[in-house]
Amino acid sequence: MKRTLLSVGVAVALGTPLSALAQAKPEVLVKQRQAAMTLQGKYFGPLAGMAQGKVPYNADVVKRNAGYLNALDKMPWDGFSPETKGEKSAALPAVWNEPDKFKQAADRLNSEVSKLVEVSQSGDEASVKAQIGAVGKSCGGCHETFREKR
Amino acid sequence: MKRTLLSVGVAVALGTPLSALAQAKPEVLVKQRQAAMTLQGKYFGPLAGMAQGKVPYNADVVKRNAGYLNALDKMPWDGFSPETKGEKSAALPAVWNEPDKFKQAADRLNSEVSKLVEVSQSGDEASVKAQIGAVGKSCGGCHETFREKR
């Protein structure tokens, strides 16, 4: 009975047969990695605005968003698997031609966001803003090399 | 100098002028909330498969994904703001006509995922699988009422 209810819940929840989940299709991988980028934009945008003085500084929002980003910044990378090379996206061939450099860029983001999580606990506004800048540079540094200009 | 570098980093990172971020457009809100749903599917799917015995049980993956879901399940809700009513999406009018019920459904998901985070720390496979089922039912329960059948 439990299993039946679960099946129904899951089928409704995901709108897709479970069998399709074992091996995500290339277009699904692209959609998922783009979703992670979209949400990183959602939660980083206001922080960038605060660091630039365009949005009022709010330490609680920084803490919350830093926590979200600390999860989101782990999510895009498995979506850049080789079978997605042919899919329409802004990813440049460098993603697959320079995997070590791409991994370094991802690691840098992860590291800068981890630091932001730490710094955001202290409540020192200047340090927090400086660290938001460091996160922004790690986003930009990666996009510069690995994403099509738009 | 720092500010200049930050501006460049952010502009490159987001590919959008910062001024646009203060008030996200309805279509952006829809894209963001759908991104959160996409990623919930990504990280819940394998857990549902484990609970159903279709995917080998892996306690580390459950712990990791439960943590991700515990962040992701906070992200969709502000995307359902009233100005998105007219946007193309699978959201049913009930989202805005029955806001209390919608909020309850969201709270239920948050609560069931929080329990999954706790239970996943214990390593008791049966309890973890039961709680995965409870999460799945909270997804399905909400979709049943608030999302178009597809």
Side-chain angles (χ1 to χ4, degrees):
Chain A
M1 186 59 186
K2 205 168 245 176
R3 178 154 295 194
T4 307
L5 283 173
L6 175 61
S7 302
V8 172
V10 168
V12 174
L14 301 174
T16 182
L18 263 177
S19 57
L21 290 164
Q23 186 77 8
K25 290 179 182 173
E27 65 267 28
V28 173
L29 291 168
V30 171
K31 186 181 172 186
Q32 290 170 338
R33 76 190 192 211
Q34 289 176 339
M37 296 297 180
T38 292
L39 289 171
Q40 288 182 102
K42 176 182 180 187
Y43 292 106
F44 183 65
L47 307 195
M50 288 179 203
Q52 294 181 310
K54 295 181 178 178
V55 176
Y57 185 73
N58 183 323
D60 290 333
V61 171
V62 177
K63 257 185 253 184
R64 187 201 63 177
N65 288 18
Y68 288 170
L69 291 167
N70 202 33
L72 291 168
D73 71 0
K74 313 294 184 302
M75 299 181 189
W77 319 117
D78 61 353
F80 290 95
S81 67
E83 68 266 34
T84 64
K85 270 190 206 180
E87 295 297 312
K88 192 174 175 298
S89 90
L92 292 172
V95 168
W96 298 281
N97 295 341
E98 301 180 65
D100 292 347
K101 201 175 162 190
F102 186 58
K103 169 100 175 50
Q104 274 171 23
D107 289 347
R108 187 180 161 203
L109 172 67
N110 293 163
S111 156
E112 297 294 5
V113 170
S114 290
K115 280 184 210 160
L116 180 60
V117 170
E118 276 171 45
V119 175
S120 70
Q121 302 298 322
S122 80
D124 174 340
E125 187 175 327
S127 310
V128 170
K129 287 183 172 181
Q131 190 53 34
I132 291 170
V135 172
K137 276 191 273 182
S138 73
C139 301
C142 190
H143 287 174
E144 186 62 31
T145 308
F146 297 105
R147 191 177 72 161
E148 215 169 79
K149 305 284 172 294
R150 282 182 165 180
Chain B
M1 185 60 187
K2 205 167 243 173
R3 179 155 292 196
T4 308
L5 283 172
L6 174 62
S7 302
V8 172
V10 166
V12 174
L14 301 174
T16 183
L18 264 176
S19 57
L21 290 165
Q23 187 75 9
K25 291 179 180 170
E27 65 267 29
V28 173
L29 291 169
V30 171
K31 186 181 172 185
Q32 290 170 339
R33 77 189 192 210
Q34 289 176 340
M37 297 296 180
T38 292
L39 289 171
Q40 288 182 102
K42 176 181 179 185
Y43 292 105
F44 184 65
L47 307 195
M50 289 178 203
Q52 293 180 311
K54 294 180 179 180
V55 175
Y57 184 74
N58 182 323
D60 290 333
V61 171
V62 177
K63 255 185 256 185
R64 187 201 63 176
N65 288 17
Y68 288 170
L69 290 167
N70 202 33
L72 291 168
D73 70 1
K74 312 295 184 301
M75 299 182 189
W77 318 116
D78 60 354
F80 289 96
S81 65
E83 68 265 36
T84 64
K85 270 190 204 181
E87 297 296 313
K88 191 173 176 298
S89 90
L92 292 172
V95 168
W96 298 281
N97 295 342
E98 301 180 65
D100 292 348
K101 201 175 163 190
F102 186 57
K103 169 97 175 50
Q104 274 170 23
D107 289 347
R108 185 179 162 202
L109 172 67
N110 293 165
S111 157
E112 296 295 6
V113 170
S114 289
K115 281 185 211 157
L116 180 61
V117 170
E118 277 171 42
V119 176
S120 71
Q121 303 298 322
S122 79
D124 173 340
E125 188 175 326
S127 309
V128 170
K129 287 183 171 179
Q131 190 54 33
I132 291 171
V135 172
K137 275 191 272 181
S138 72
C139 299
C142 189
H143 287 175
E144 186 64 30
T145 308
F146 297 103
R147 193 177 70 163
E148 216 169 77
K149 306 282 175 294
R150 285 183 160 177

